[in-house]
Amino acid sequence: MLNSYSSADKALLAVDCIIFGFDNEGLKILLIKRDFEPEKGKWSLIGGFLKRDEVLDNAAIRILNTYTGLNDIYMEQLYAYSEIDRDPVERTISVSYYALINIENHNAELIKNYHAQWFSVADAPNLIFDHNEMVEHAIRRLRYRTSIKPIGFELLPEKFTMRQLLELYEAILSKELDKRNFISKINSLEILNKLEEKDMQSSRKGSYLYTFNKEKYEEKLLNDFVLNL
Amino acid sequence: MLNSYSSADKALLAVDCIIFGFDNEGLKILLIKRDFEPEKGKWSLIGGFLKRDEVLDNAAIRILNTYTGLNDIYMEQLYAYSEIDRDPVERTISVSYYALINIENHNAELIKNYHAQWFSVADAPNLIFDHNEMVEHAIRRLRYRTSIKPIGFELLPEKFTMRQLLELYEAILSKELDKRNFISKINSLEILNKLEEKDMQSSRKGSYLYTFNKEKYEEKLLNDFVLNL
DNA sequence: TAACTTAAGTGTATAATATACATTAATAAA
DNA sequence: TTTATTAATGTATATTATACACTTAAGTTA
């Protein structure tokens, strides 16, 4: 019978997490060295199996927490991967999730746990299964996301300079942006607070620090817009 | 053990298809009256279970074909739904797919099979499980798609008038568009062939028929662009 | 056959936005 | 005090989006 539940095939469901971070070296992803077979010892996305009593969103949160100690990370579902032999042990459909996090805020936890490690997107190691494809797909989604939602709050330290924000966008889009045009577009969004304080690390003159205005930022997250950079 | 395959929970995997069509009454979706329990007799998206030896993309194609006889329909994956009790019989994760098809080209097959029926998006019946949510989600995706890819080829008859194309976009975006601005934007894409032939149904003057220039259309599909309507 | 009705077809002026581009300012180091 | 380095800033031009109304073609009707 076409639709009998009893005769339908079951499969394992996995969740894999593409965690993006940013620091002064550029855009990074968080990987783990797999500690079980198959492919033990190879680099992998953070992943795990969906439990019986759990929805995918929560599985993603739980799995990330297990490997990194990270909490309260908001992730978005990306895509379901279902090639027959994508996992050689058993038929497994994997649903990918991606998130943006602030490396500085979270690095201590990560180092303490030693399970996860940051890699530059540009020179990440080869990954198991179809995880390379998942990462590429997530980068495409992240680039698109920059055109309809502001990005930055999740990836930058609380106080940051315009240059850091510019370099973040350049890293995500992997192209150079005109500084003056960038600044005026960002300012037109009205999501930043300019502080009196200056960062004196990067130059003799020093550059003003900014914070995100969380209320306005959240507001912009709700309504899509177009940001042509 | 955290990642043992043997202890992981398996689940059923389903695929549900949101099939969009368009005719002179507006944007439509294809639904079936469910012929098995639970919710037998209620309206539902076209759906079925993923088989052991099948990838999701192919399951979507097979399931659509089973219910409608439709062949060679290109579908895109949308989202995985995993609420615990979304299907009351058994834990089932459903991956949704959506497609755009041309009602005229395919209606004969559909009527022959009597399994599926078109409904206006605006006044479709209430659907089983979380299928209403899936449809809403697909409409959002479809609207977004209009801004980055041309639409029309899939939904219109081979020869069509500018008015039909305009009304298609108005139906998808559910807003009125300025006729002159619309025509000049569409013309600037250079994806249409204007025929000598006129459609004499709609007016005394008659209106020119167009076809899509498939090569240029496909080209535009490859490269994203922004079409502000 | 002239007047009428109906939808088709067309262009322009203005506003908004995107882009390209170079100089001055502030400060610490030499 | 000179030098070196990065920060900060504005404007002119090109492109694109928007708002808007009249004429044309042809069948129908008086």
Side-chain angles (χ1 to χ4, degrees):
Chain A
M1 185 196 162
L2 179 63
N3 270 291
S4 131
Y5 283 77
S6 55
S7 72
D9 300 317
K10 293 190 181 182
L12 288 175
L13 269 144
V15 170
D16 288 298
C17 306
I18 299 105
I19 308 299
F20 290 106
F22 181 75
D23 64 15
N24 53 16
E25 293 162 22
L27 191 65
K28 303 204 165 168
I29 52 173
L30 192 59
L31 301 175
I32 57 165
K33 199 168 252 179
R34 194 165 152 107
D35 63 355
F36 57 98
E37 294 296 345
E39 304 277 13
K40 185 170 176 174
K42 300 257 181 80
W43 290 102
S44 157
L45 290 172
I46 286 160
F49 292 110
L50 178 73
K51 297 186 182 216
R52 187 189 313 283
D53 58 350
E54 190 179 48
V55 298
L56 286 164
D57 288 5
N58 290 340
I61 290 166
R62 170 182 58 80
I63 289 162
L64 181 63
N65 178 264
T66 303
Y67 279 101
T68 65
L70 294 174
N71 269 311
D72 297 322
I73 303 297
Y74 172 70
M75 286 189 270
E76 281 183 20
Q77 191 190 112
L78 185 57
Y79 202 76
Y81 297 83
S82 64
E83 285 300 312
I84 308 291
D85 295 314
R86 53 172 299 286
D87 184 322
V89 176
E90 192 161 346
R91 181 77 198 276
T92 306
I93 283 75
S94 177
V95 179
S96 66
Y97 276 75
Y98 78 104
L100 309 176
I101 76 170
N102 179 320
I103 292 184
E104 282 196 12
N105 287 3
H106 295 296
N107 217 19
E109 297 160 89
L110 292 173
I111 288 168
K112 196 169 59 203
N113 285 280
Y114 281 106
H115 283 116
Q117 209 174 301
W118 289 106
F119 287 85
S120 284
V121 163
D123 46 48
N126 206 41
L127 302 177
I128 65 161
F129 302 172
D130 48 6
H131 289 192
N132 292 307
E133 185 188 347
M134 292 180 180
V135 171
E136 278 173 41
H137 195 164
I139 291 172
R140 282 204 302 278
R141 177 75 67 97
L142 180 60
R143 281 187 188 146
Y144 160 62
R145 218 208 90 142
T146 61
S147 70
I148 54 164
K149 306 275 187 194
I151 277 182
F153 181 60
E154 305 88 348
L155 290 159
L156 290 174
E158 193 184 343
K159 297 176 185 178
F160 54 89
T161 65
M162 272 292 179
R163 170 164 296 267
Q164 284 177 289
L165 189 61
L166 171 66
E167 286 175 354
L168 168 60
Y169 272 87
E170 289 183 330
I172 291 173
L173 300 173
S174 75
K175 68 174 180 188
E176 282 198 6
L177 299 173
D178 181 273
K179 183 173 49 155
R180 283 163 295 185
N181 293 338
F182 176 80
I183 290 171
S184 65
K185 283 179 190 181
I186 292 295
N187 281 333
S188 74
L189 297 178
E190 299 186 310
I191 53 175
L192 298 186
N193 302 317
K194 185 173 188 170
L195 307 180
E196 308 265 307
E197 199 181 346
K198 281 188 165 188
D199 168 82
M200 300 306 293
Q201 307 307 113
S202 60
S203 73
R204 286 162 189 162
K205 184 179 178 181
S207 57
Y208 284 105
L209 288 164
Y210 291 80
T211 58
F212 282 100
N213 178 329
K214 293 197 194 186
E215 293 79 46
K216 290 195 177 168
Y217 187 90
E218 303 288 341
E219 204 179 301
K220 297 283 178 186
L221 282 182
L222 292 179
N223 310 312
D224 287 358
F225 61 88
V226 177
L227 180 61
N228 273 315
L229 291 174
Chain B
M1 185 196 162
L2 179 63
N3 272 289
S4 129
Y5 283 78
S6 54
S7 72
D9 300 317
K10 293 190 181 183
L12 288 175
L13 269 145
V15 169
D16 288 299
C17 306
I18 301 105
I19 308 299
F20 290 106
F22 181 76
D23 64 14
N24 52 18
E25 292 162 21
L27 191 67
K28 303 203 165 170
I29 52 173
L30 193 59
L31 301 174
I32 58 166
K33 199 168 253 178
R34 193 165 152 107
D35 64 354
F36 58 98
E37 295 296 346
E39 305 277 15
K40 185 169 175 173
K42 301 257 182 78
W43 290 102
S44 157
L45 290 172
I46 286 159
F49 293 109
L50 177 73
K51 297 187 182 218
R52 188 188 312 282
D53 58 352
E54 193 179 46
V55 298
L56 286 163
D57 288 5
N58 291 340
I61 290 167
R62 169 181 60 78
I63 289 162
L64 181 62
N65 178 265
T66 302
Y67 279 101
T68 65
L70 295 174
N71 268 311
D72 297 322
I73 303 297
Y74 171 70
M75 286 190 270
E76 280 183 23
Q77 192 191 111
L78 186 56
Y79 203 77
Y81 298 83
S82 63
E83 286 300 312
I84 308 291
D85 294 314
R86 54 173 298 286
D87 184 322
V89 176
E90 191 160 347
R91 181 77 199 275
T92 306
I93 283 75
S94 177
V95 178
S96 66
Y97 277 75
Y98 79 104
L100 310 176
I101 76 171
N102 179 320
I103 292 183
E104 281 196 10
N105 287 2
H106 296 297
N107 217 19
E109 297 159 89
L110 292 173
I111 288 168
K112 195 168 61 204
N113 286 280
Y114 282 107
H115 283 116
Q117 209 174 300
W118 290 106
F119 287 85
S120 284
V121 162
D123 45 48
N126 205 41
L127 303 177
I128 65 162
F129 302 171
D130 48 6
H131 289 193
N132 292 309
E133 185 188 347
M134 291 181 181
V135 171
E136 278 173 40
H137 196 165
I139 291 171
R140 282 206 301 279
R141 177 75 66 100
L142 180 60
R143 281 186 188 147
Y144 159 62
R145 218 209 90 141
T146 61
S147 70
I148 55 163
K149 307 274 187 193
I151 277 182
F153 181 60
E154 304 88 346
L155 290 159
L156 290 173
E158 192 183 345
K159 297 174 183 178
F160 54 88
T161 64
M162 272 292 178
R163 170 165 295 268
Q164 285 177 286
L165 188 61
L166 172 66
E167 286 176 354
L168 168 60
Y169 273 87
E170 288 183 332
I172 291 173
L173 300 173
S174 74
K175 69 174 180 188
E176 282 198 7
L177 299 173
D178 181 272
K179 184 173 49 155
R180 283 164 294 185
N181 293 339
F182 176 80
I183 291 173
S184 64
K185 283 179 191 181
I186 291 295
N187 281 334
S188 74
L189 297 179
E190 301 186 308
I191 54 174
L192 297 186
N193 301 317
K194 186 174 189 169
L195 306 180
E196 308 265 306
E197 199 180 343
K198 282 187 165 188
D199 169 83
M200 301 306 294
Q201 308 307 114
S202 60
S203 73
R204 289 168 186 158
K205 185 179 178 180
S207 59
Y208 284 103
L209 288 165
Y210 291 79
T211 58
F212 283 100
N213 177 330
K214 293 196 193 184
E215 293 79 46
K216 289 195 178 167
Y217 186 89
E218 303 288 340
E219 204 179 300
K220 297 284 179 187
L221 282 182
L222 292 179
N223 311 312
D224 288 358
F225 60 90
V226 178
L227 181 60
N228 273 314
L229 291 173

